[in-house]
């Protein structure tokens, strides 16, 4: 089944404790992206990648890191999480020739 | 400046009636794409419909159609014959830099639709 998977789905952590949210897709898509969703703000793009070793900032990259060492994986790293990073995070992927983005199920992160 | 504006935080519609969700956008890029996504209470993001800036015809997908008015910079979603399962949050989004193949998306703040039985 074609899908984007994210792990963990839920995470409660404390300020400053480094964490990684994994994202993997099995559709051989070149493009991958991370978003955060906050009430009243919609989705905002954090980082995106157009291919292996090619990443670029979205609208809200501060406090986040990404890497794209393999085509299928695009982890989101929070080196020192803070409470304002409490949010619902989505990973998405897309093939260049298609318009549709495929979204993962989301990761709900709470930083205390 | 907000690039995607959804002015209706919430809407109600009677089952089987049509409903229009508003979306206006702002861009100076001649090549862009417009999208609508549905997010039910379960949380997943579901792609509904796409309109390219150069497309001459309004996009349609089943009961969904996109009323694209380029001069007004609007891309309203029309849902015909509403069903209870249409109750969800709806997001309008834009992708700029289509010609250069970028992957930068901007989303609106969403409209929560409730379909009444």
């Amino acid at each position: 089944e074609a899908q984007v998977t994210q792990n963990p789905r839920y995470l409660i952590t404390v300020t400053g404790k480094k964490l990684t949210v994994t994202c993997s897709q099995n559709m051989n898509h070149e493009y991958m992206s991370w978003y955060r969703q906050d009430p009243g703000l919609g989705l905002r793009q954090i980082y995106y990648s157009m291919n292996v070793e090619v990443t670029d900032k979205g609208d809200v990259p501060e406090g986040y890191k990404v890497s794209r060492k393999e085509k299928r994986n695009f982890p989101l790293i929070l080196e020192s999480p803070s409470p304002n990073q409490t949010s619902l995070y989505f990973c998405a992927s897309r093939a260049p020739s298609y318009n549709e983005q495929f979204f993962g199920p989301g990761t709900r992160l709470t930083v205390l | 400046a907000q690039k995607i504006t959804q002015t209706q935080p919430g809407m109600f519609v009677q089952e089987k009636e049509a409903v229009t969700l508003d979306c206006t956008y702002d861009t100076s890029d001649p090549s862009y794409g417009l999208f609508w996504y549905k997010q039910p209470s379960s949380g997943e993001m579901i792609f509904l419909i796409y309109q390219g800036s150069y497309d001459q015809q309004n996009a349609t997908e089943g009961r969904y159609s996109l009323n694209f008015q380029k001069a007004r910079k609007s891309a309203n979603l029309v849902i015909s014959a509403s069903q209870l399962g249409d109750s969800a949050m709806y997001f309008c989004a834009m992708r700029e830099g289509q010609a250069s193949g970028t992957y930068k998306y901007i989303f609106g703040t969403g409209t929560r639709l409730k379909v009444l039985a």
Side-chain angles (χ1 to χ4, degrees):
Chain A
E1 181 192 352
Q3 59 183 353
V4 178
T5 56
Q6 295 179 227
N7 283 292
R9 294 288 313 279
Y10 303 90
L11 179 61
I12 300 174
T13 188
V14 295
T15 299
K17 187 176 181 182
K18 181 179 178 179
L19 66 93
T20 299
V21 184
T22 63
C23 173
S24 183
Q25 50 94 3
N26 63 1
M27 295 167 279
N28 204 36
H29 287 167
E30 281 83 355
Y31 295 174
M32 297 186 75
S33 186
W34 275 103
Y35 299 88
R36 60 177 289 173
Q37 182 180 1
D38 302 290
L41 297 177
L43 278 78
R44 293 178 292 168
Q45 196 170 31
I46 303 171
Y47 271 96
Y48 62 95
S49 169
M50 295 175 70
N51 214 326
V52 175
E53 304 289 3
V54 180
T55 62
D56 210 342
K57 296 177 182 178
D59 288 329
V60 288
E62 296 79 17
Y64 304 95
K65 282 176 57 177
V66 292
S67 68
R68 186 95 182 272
K69 299 192 187 310
E70 305 167 279
K71 199 173 189 179
R72 63 183 293 125
N73 296 323
F74 190 43
L76 179 70
I77 303 155
L78 285 72
E79 294 269 2
S80 182
S82 63
N84 64 13
Q85 292 178 299
T86 292
S87 188
L88 177 60
Y89 291 87
F90 285 101
C91 180
S93 73
R94 178 176 76 88
S97 54
Y98 289 91
N99 295 305
E100 181 178 354
Q101 281 191 99
F102 291 84
F103 280 84
T107 294
R108 188 164 292 282
L109 172 66
T110 301
V111 183
L112 302 174
Chain B
Q2 231 172 342
K3 290 197 167 188
I4 293 283
T5 303
Q6 295 181 253
T7 56
Q8 307 151 313
M11 288 190 73
F12 291 95
V13 65
Q14 207 65 39
E15 195 179 8
K16 298 179 186 174
E17 291 185 353
V19 62
T20 298
L21 307 184
D22 294 341
C23 174
T24 58
Y25 62 92
D26 184 30
T27 182
S28 56
D29 193 331
S31 176
Y32 54 90
L34 296 158
F35 303 78
W36 279 91
Y37 291 87
K38 173 184 178 181
Q39 186 179 43
S41 57
S42 50
E44 72 267 32
M45 294 290 291
I46 302 167
F47 167 76
L48 294 179
I49 197 166
Y50 164 80
Q51 179 87 39
S53 59
Y54 294 119
D55 293 343
Q56 295 297 314
Q57 307 256 25
N58 286 346
T60 59
E61 290 287 348
R63 293 186 299 110
Y64 304 107
S65 60
L66 198 153
N67 184 0
F68 181 46
Q69 297 190 42
K70 198 169 182 177
R72 293 186 178 186
K73 293 188 173 179
S74 76
N76 299 339
L77 177 71
V78 180
I79 306 174
S80 63
S82 298
Q83 302 172 354
L84 296 177
D86 293 333
S87 294
M89 180 73 93
Y90 289 81
F91 291 100
C92 179
M94 176 173 66
R95 185 180 73 216
E96 292 180 302
Q98 198 121 310
S100 58
T102 64
Y103 191 20
K104 199 158 187 180
Y105 285 79
I106 301 148
F107 282 74
T109 53
T111 295
R112 187 170 296 280
L113 177 68
K114 175 73 174 172
V115 180
L116 304 173

